[in-house]
Amino acid sequence: MSALNRSIALAGAGAIGIPILRALLNHPNHPKVVVLTRPGSKKDLPSDLSLATVIPVDYTDVAALTALFKEHNIEVVISTVPPPGYVTAQHALADAAKASGSVKLFVPSEWGVPTEGAKGEGNLFGVKDEVAEYLKSIGLPYTRIFTGLFTSFIPWVIGADAESSAYIQGTGKTPFTTTSEEDIGGFVAHVLTSLPLTSPDLVNASLRIQGQKITLQECARLLNKSIVLVAEGESIPAKTDGEKHLKAFLQTQMEGGMASTGWDRRSNREIEGAAGSANKLWEGHVWQTVASSFA
Ligand SMILES: NC(=O)c1ccc[n+]([C@@H]2O[C@H](COP(=O)([O-])OP(=O)(O)OC[C@H]3O[C@@H](n4cnc5c(N)ncnc54)[C@H](OP(=O)(O)O)[C@@H]3O)[C@@H](O)[C@H]2O)c1
C-alpha cells in the first residue's frame, strides 16, 4: 500500500501532540488523522488545526476504541497521553489496536529520555518501559521515539521561565539531548508517512533523535540568565511541590548523563554514536538548536 493517505489516530493533543498533529496535517503525504479526546474534555485546538477531526472516546472502553480503529481503518496509533493515563489508557489503546486488525504500528507515549530497562525503577520512566513490555507481550508492533528534553521546556526545568536566574542542581556541565517540539513533530510525520510500516527501521525499533547536545550551563548563558547553583534537595523555583520534585528529578537525570538519547539504562552508560542515530531517517533536515529556538 502506498504511504500516501495513511490513516493515523493520535491519542492526546497537548504539549507534544499538537506539534505532531500540525506536522501530520501539513505533510505532503497527506495522512488522514483522527484526534482522540476524552468524552467531556473541552478540546480547543489552535486555530490552524481547527479543521482536524476530533473524536471523543472513553479510553477504558476497549470495544469502542476497537470499533473506532476499524471504522477509520487506522494503521498507526500515536499515543501522547500524559502520566495519569500511561498504563490504563495505553493498555486499552494497545488492546484495541491489536483487536482492530487494521493497526500495524503503535507509537507509545515516550517522547523523552531512553527508557529501555527502566522497568521497576518506580518512576515515570519505569512506567513507560512497562508499557513497551506490554506491547511486546501482546505482539503489537511498536516504535519508541526518544527525544531528550523538549527545547521549550529548558527554561522551565531551570526555573528560568519565571525568574531572572537559572537554578542548576549539580554542576550543570553534563551534556544532554534536546529536540524542539517542531522537529519532533516533523520527524514523526516524516517517518510514519514515508516508510513502509513493516520497515525494520520502525518495527519494534527505538528511534533516538537529537536536535542538539548541550549542557544546562550553556543553556543558561544562551538565555542570558545568571546561574544559581543549588544543592540536591534545595528548591528549584516551581509553581507546585510536584513540579519542584519533577524538576529536581529531571536535573538529577541530566547531571548523570541519562538525558542523552545515547544513554542505555541497562548498561548505565552512553552508547557511542547512539544519540541522534535516527536523525538519518529524515535525510537533509536541518535540526533546530537551542539558540535558533530562542532567537
Ligand atoms: N521530553 C520532554 O521534555 C517532555 C515534556 C513534556 C511531556 N513529555 C512527555 O510527552 C508525553 C505527553 O505529554 P504532554 O505534556 O504532551 O501531555 P499533556 O499535554 O499533558 O496531555 C495530552 C492530552 O492527553 C489527554 N489526557 C490528559 N489526561 C489524560 C489521561 N489521564 N488519560 C488519557 N488522556 C489524557 C488530554 O487531551 P483530552 O483532554 O482532549 O483528552 C491532553 O490534552 C508524555 O509521555 C510526557 O512524559 C516530555
Side-chain angles (χ1 to χ4, degrees):
M1 165 161 196
S2 156
L4 296 178
N5 301 121
R6 197 162 268 165
S7 291
I8 298 177
L10 175 67
I16 195 58
I18 283 176
I20 291 173
L21 177 61
R22 182 171 285 120
L24 287 168
L25 294 183
N26 288 311
H27 199 277
N29 284 344
H30 301 299
K32 292 180 203 146
V33 186
V34 296
V35 179
L36 310 187
T37 186
R38 291 165 300 167
S41 168
K42 269 185 78 67
K43 176 56 60 201
D44 289 325
L45 289 171
S47 55
D48 64 313
L49 304 177
S50 60
L51 293 180
T53 305
V54 180
I55 304 180
V57 66
D58 179 354
Y59 288 115
T60 63
D61 189 342
V62 177
L65 285 165
T66 307
L68 189 158
F69 292 158
K70 277 186 181 167
E71 184 191 339
H72 293 271
N73 197 26
I74 297 297
E75 299 166 277
V76 182
V77 175
I78 304 173
S79 169
T80 69
V81 298
Y86 278 154
V87 176
T88 45
Q90 293 200 98
H91 281 201
L93 284 164
D95 289 342
K98 180 81 181 167
S100 71
S102 62
V103 175
K104 298 181 184 70
L105 200 66
F106 189 95
V107 181
S109 190
E110 291 279 354
W111 320 116
V113 310
T115 60
E116 289 165 321
K119 190 177 169 189
E121 285 184 17
N123 55 32
L124 82 161
F125 303 147
V127 180
K128 289 183 177 187
D129 196 35
E130 280 165 33
V131 169
E133 290 295 323
Y134 184 71
L135 300 174
K136 278 181 214 169
S137 75
I138 64 169
L140 181 64
Y142 60 87
T143 308
R144 297 167 84 168
I145 302 180
F146 302 130
T147 64
L149 186 67
F150 300 165
T151 304
S152 80
F153 276 64
I154 291 173
W156 173 85
V157 163
I158 51 182
D161 47 346
E163 306 275 335
S164 56
S165 298
Y167 294 78
I168 296 178
Q169 186 185 271
T171 66
K173 289 182 178 168
T174 309
F176 65 93
T177 293
T178 183
T179 310
S180 77
E181 289 94 316
E182 189 182 332
D183 277 348
I184 295 168
F187 176 84
V188 169
H190 178 72
V191 296
L192 295 182
T193 68
S194 307
L195 296 175
L197 294 178
T198 50
S199 165
D201 283 324
L202 293 178
V203 174
N204 301 344
S206 288
L207 304 185
R208 298 161 181 264
I209 60 174
Q210 175 165 275
Q212 185 183 11
K213 205 55 142 343
I214 193 165
T215 69
L216 281 181
Q217 292 240 3
E218 288 163 345
C219 290
R221 282 193 286 276
L222 281 168
L223 293 167
N224 275 326
K225 301 284 182 180
S226 57
I227 293 171
V228 178
L229 291 178
V230 297
E232 203 161 332
E234 273 181 35
S235 270
I236 302 162
K239 289 193 196 87
T240 63
D241 279 350
E243 263 190 29
K244 243 175 226 173
H245 288 127
L246 182 57
K247 289 180 187 193
F249 170 68
L250 291 174
Q251 285 207 28
T252 305
Q253 297 281 312
M254 293 160 98
E255 182 77 2
M258 286 92 98
S260 159
T261 52
W263 191 263
D264 177 32
R265 292 183 100 84
R266 293 160 300 197
S267 58
N268 222 19
R269 65 178 182 88
E270 177 82 8
I271 304 167
E272 211 186 314
S277 51
N279 287 21
K280 64 178 185 293
L281 297 177
W282 197 8
E283 216 177 316
H285 178 65
V286 179
W287 295 76
Q288 292 178 1
T289 61
V290 175
S292 68
S293 295
F294 289 105

